[in-house]
Amino acid sequence: MSFFKRLKESLSAKTEAVTTKFRDGLSKTRNAFVERVEELIFRRKKIDEEFYEELEEILISADVGVATVMRLIEDLRSEVRARKIEEASELQPILSEKLTGLLKGDEDVGLKMADQGLTVYLFVGVNGVGKTTTIGKLAHRFKQEGKKVLLAAGDTFRAGAIEQLEVWGERVGVEVIKQQAGSDPAAVMYDALQAAKNRGVDILLCDTAGRLQNKVNLMEELSKIFRVIKREIPEAPHEVLLVLDATTGQNALSQAKTFSEKSGVTGIVLTKLDSTAKGGIVIAIRQEMNLPVKLVGLGEKMDDLQPFDSEQFVHALFAGWTAEQQQEA
């Protein structure tokens, strides 16, 4: 059975709705990336060295990452030789399947939950990437699932950060544990952990100050927060989620490398994916960091924060390819 046929048959009605979100959210990347691939295939027809060079340029411009693109092009060359492919159009389903493999790694991994009791998620990242918005939207998602949620306002440095989190708390109907601006963030986390345990909370979502990777004192403050959490709940935090802004492209990859070295990051939240034509950064992060992308922001609405799914991502990305090609595949 072909890749496209398997993919189509695996989509339930609910998954189809989510795929629509992916398709809408990835429209800019699809227009800039997939349409350029289509134009290349239509114009060149045959697979030759010039074809590979142009395809390589398109992939790099979509922020797939140079090292990843080099490997992908070599894989495609091998497939072409093995299958004796001559027509460029025959590469379309192969390319989409290869990209799915690059994104998926071993498997798509969801958010880790505590076996029992309180689950703690810690959010890190620089200012302006959408940490607070992500926390608010995730709180909404968990509440919709019937979970009891609490928020910890650990960003005590940025002016208005506590108030911003409180606005989200009111919007989704979740309490926020806070102290005054300028307070010790680790003390806020301690209060939040005690409140969560006393109230039988299922999930505690912890905001932190936006840290520049080169600010040693802020990174040390994060280490202090870790120690407080682990003292109260040894297996926590269950996830350390690095929030990255997809529109920053390779700069997001640079942030991921630094934070993963110093913060024990377990997964990525990629925001504003709908606002960029360079959605290939998802592939670059997965391949070059070996970190799973766990959540993606696909729009402004409350339910536009979605669990990442590699097959849906690629299906949405290549949704513009003709139905005829999918049927033939």
Side-chain angles (χ1 to χ4, degrees):
M1 187 183 293
S2 75
F3 170 73
F4 281 115
K5 199 165 290 183
R6 290 199 310 273
L7 193 57
K8 186 175 181 180
E9 290 180 0
S10 71
L11 296 175
S12 64
K14 183 177 180 181
T15 305
E16 195 70 65
V18 173
T19 301
T20 299
K21 286 187 179 296
F22 272 83
R23 187 166 58 244
D24 294 344
L26 290 171
S27 60
K28 289 186 178 180
T29 294
R30 186 168 58 249
N31 292 342
F33 170 45
V34 178
E35 288 186 5
R36 287 183 66 192
V37 174
E38 288 179 328
E39 188 276 332
L40 171 63
I41 288 170
F42 177 79
R43 172 165 48 83
R44 287 218 167 263
K45 308 289 188 187
K46 298 293 182 182
I47 301 172
D48 53 20
E49 196 57 36
E50 287 77 14
F51 174 87
Y52 284 123
E53 288 178 3
E54 287 197 45
L55 180 59
E56 182 180 302
E57 181 184 334
I58 292 169
L59 289 164
I60 290 174
S61 69
D63 267 345
V64 173
V66 175
T68 303
V69 170
M70 296 299 105
R71 290 196 299 271
L72 177 58
I73 293 295
E74 282 308 306
D75 283 350
L76 289 175
R77 288 178 186 273
S78 297
E79 289 281 354
V80 166
R81 287 193 296 268
R83 302 192 194 188
K84 296 182 172 56
I85 295 171
E86 295 182 359
E87 299 295 327
S89 60
E90 294 181 61
L91 271 184
Q92 288 183 332
I94 297 171
L95 177 59
S96 63
E97 192 163 5
K98 291 287 183 187
L99 289 174
T100 301
L102 290 174
L103 281 165
K104 199 166 187 177
D106 295 329
E107 60 179 344
D108 286 330
V109 181
L111 292 173
K112 181 183 177 183
M113 304 282 288
D115 293 332
Q116 58 181 6
L118 178 63
T119 295
V120 181
Y121 295 144
L122 190 65
F123 292 81
V124 300
V126 301
N127 284 328
V129 293
K131 279 199 310 299
T132 308
T133 300
T134 295
I135 291 169
K137 289 182 176 181
L138 192 56
H140 170 72
R141 171 177 285 274
F142 283 133
K143 274 208 70 178
Q144 294 294 103
E145 294 173 0
K147 300 283 195 301
K148 190 171 182 180
V149 185
L150 192 65
L151 308 182
D155 184 354
T156 61
F157 295 104
R158 181 172 62 87
I162 297 171
E163 290 77 8
Q164 185 183 358
L165 193 64
E166 285 185 301
V167 168
W168 271 104
E170 291 174 6
R171 189 179 298 176
V172 300
V174 170
E175 189 178 350
V176 177
I177 302 299
K178 63 176 183 176
Q179 291 187 12
Q180 291 184 340
S183 299
D184 181 357
V188 177
M189 294 305 167
Y190 177 80
D191 288 349
L193 286 160
Q194 296 307 310
K197 289 192 286 188
N198 291 336
R199 299 172 195 180
V201 166
D202 298 306
I203 297 172
L204 175 63
L205 305 178
C206 304
D207 194 11
T208 64
R211 290 153 213 280
L212 294 173
Q213 306 91 291
N214 59 353
K215 298 294 185 182
V216 176
N217 60 325
L218 287 175
M219 298 306 288
E220 288 177 350
E221 187 63 54
L222 188 59
S223 296
K224 186 178 176 182
I225 290 172
F226 263 90
R227 291 196 299 272
V228 169
I229 293 174
K230 285 199 170 294
R231 189 173 65 233
E232 296 302 312
I233 304 176
E235 65 274 19
H238 299 88
E239 294 276 11
V240 180
L241 298 169
L242 173 59
V243 184
L244 299 172
D245 180 344
T247 65
T248 63
Q250 290 298 305
N251 187 42
L253 185 60
S254 174
Q255 288 176 28
K257 288 177 179 176
T258 304
F259 271 93
S260 65
E261 291 170 2
K262 298 181 178 180
S263 307
V265 173
T266 59
I268 303 293
V269 180
L270 203 57
T271 65
K272 308 175 190 178
L273 199 55
D274 59 306
S275 300
T276 182
K278 297 189 173 186
I281 191 62
V282 178
I283 301 169
I285 288 170
R286 183 70 187 89
Q287 284 295 300
E288 297 187 31
M289 297 303 305
N290 197 30
L291 278 172
V293 176
K294 302 226 172 185
L295 298 163
V296 288
L298 298 169
E300 298 295 325
K301 295 178 182 176
M302 194 81 81
D303 62 349
D304 283 338
L305 180 71
Q306 290 289 329
F308 181 74
D309 182 288
S310 57
E311 288 192 352
Q312 287 180 359
F313 182 91
V314 176
H315 181 74
L317 200 59
F318 291 93
W321 281 359
T322 67
E324 181 184 350
Q325 288 165 336
Q326 295 186 29
Q327 287 168 4
E328 287 177 358

